[in-house]
């Protein structure tokens, strides 16, 4: 997964729906990211993340809302693992993301692709395109239960 993301040295990564910080830790351990934002909706999760990463100067915990990622201005990569399917107002969320996403930033969604997926890969792709984004990569086969969808602002 980390190799797929191709995080360049000094890039700024936002982990939206960071949960307990699994991917934040992977970014810290296996990349040269300059800064990491752990973004989550749940206040108790943010408290946990702040405690877990209290000694990490380049990791900042921030809040999002159900309809907005609340992205900082310096993000190069927005990463969402097992999060997209829980966003109930996805069209509003994507409209807000489009307004907040820096011009050259990219977004990667990793989510469940199984028969009982709340949001199928096809639905996610249709929603992203309808919101004015451009899909530049879709991977369905590298993970047994998940798909990877990479997109950016449409030119």
């Amino acid at each position: 997964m980390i190799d797929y993301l191709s995080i360049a040295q000094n890039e700024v990564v936002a982990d939206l729906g960071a949960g307990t910080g699994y991917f934040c830790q992977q970014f810290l351990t296996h990349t040269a990211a300059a800064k990491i934002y752990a973004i989550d909706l749940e206040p108790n999760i943010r408290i946990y993340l702040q405690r877990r990463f209290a000694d990490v100067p380049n990791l900042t915990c921030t809040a999002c809302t159900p309809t907005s990622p609340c992205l900082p201005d310096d993000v190069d990569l927005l990463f969402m693992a097992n999060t997209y399917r829980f966003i109930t107002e996805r069209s509003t969320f994507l409209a807000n993301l489009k307004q907040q996403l820096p011009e050259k930033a990219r977004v990667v969604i990793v989510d469940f692709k199984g028969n009982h997926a709340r949001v199928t890969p096809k639905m996610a792709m249709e929603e992203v395109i309808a919101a004015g984004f451009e899909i530049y990569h879709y991977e369905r086969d590298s993970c047994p239960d998940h798909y990877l969808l990479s997109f950016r602002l449409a030119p």
Side-chain angles (χ1 to χ4, degrees):
M1 179 68 63
I2 297 299
D3 289 341
Y4 172 83
L5 295 173
S6 298
I7 298 169
Q9 185 172 2
N10 295 322
E11 279 195 311
V12 176
V13 178
D15 183 0
L16 181 70
T20 60
Y22 174 80
F23 280 106
C24 290
Q25 184 62 56
Q26 299 307 306
F27 299 146
L28 287 167
T29 305
H30 301 291
T31 75
K35 187 168 191 173
I36 299 164
Y37 291 101
I39 305 172
D40 208 280
L41 179 67
E42 296 295 328
N44 289 335
I45 290 292
R46 290 193 309 274
I47 291 168
Y48 171 82
L49 289 166
Q50 288 168 344
R51 288 180 182 152
R52 178 176 179 185
F53 297 110
D55 296 332
V56 181
N58 65 329
L59 192 140
T60 303
C61 299
T62 64
C64 59
T65 72
T67 58
S68 176
C70 303
L71 282 186
D73 295 337
D74 58 346
V75 170
D76 297 301
L77 168 65
L78 173 60
F79 178 75
M80 293 187 281
N82 298 311
T83 300
Y84 190 71
R85 67 181 178 261
F86 295 110
I87 301 170
T88 56
E89 297 179 46
R90 289 186 302 278
S91 61
T92 302
F93 181 88
L94 289 170
N96 287 325
L97 172 59
K98 186 176 178 186
Q99 294 299 313
Q100 297 170 24
L101 193 68
E103 185 178 329
K104 296 186 186 218
R106 60 198 197 282
V107 181
V108 175
I109 293 174
V110 178
D111 221 316
F112 186 62
K113 68 179 177 188
N115 293 333
H116 301 291
R118 289 183 190 181
V119 179
T120 65
K122 183 178 187 261
M123 289 169 60
M125 287 189 279
E126 289 170 353
E127 292 169 357
V128 163
I129 290 169
F133 293 97
E134 169 188 64
I135 296 170
Y136 66 89
H137 191 263
Y138 168 64
E139 174 62 49
R140 183 178 171 85
D141 299 323
S142 62
C143 296
D145 298 319
H146 293 79
Y147 67 92
L148 294 90
L149 178 63
S150 302
F151 59 97
R152 59 186 161 228
L153 293 170

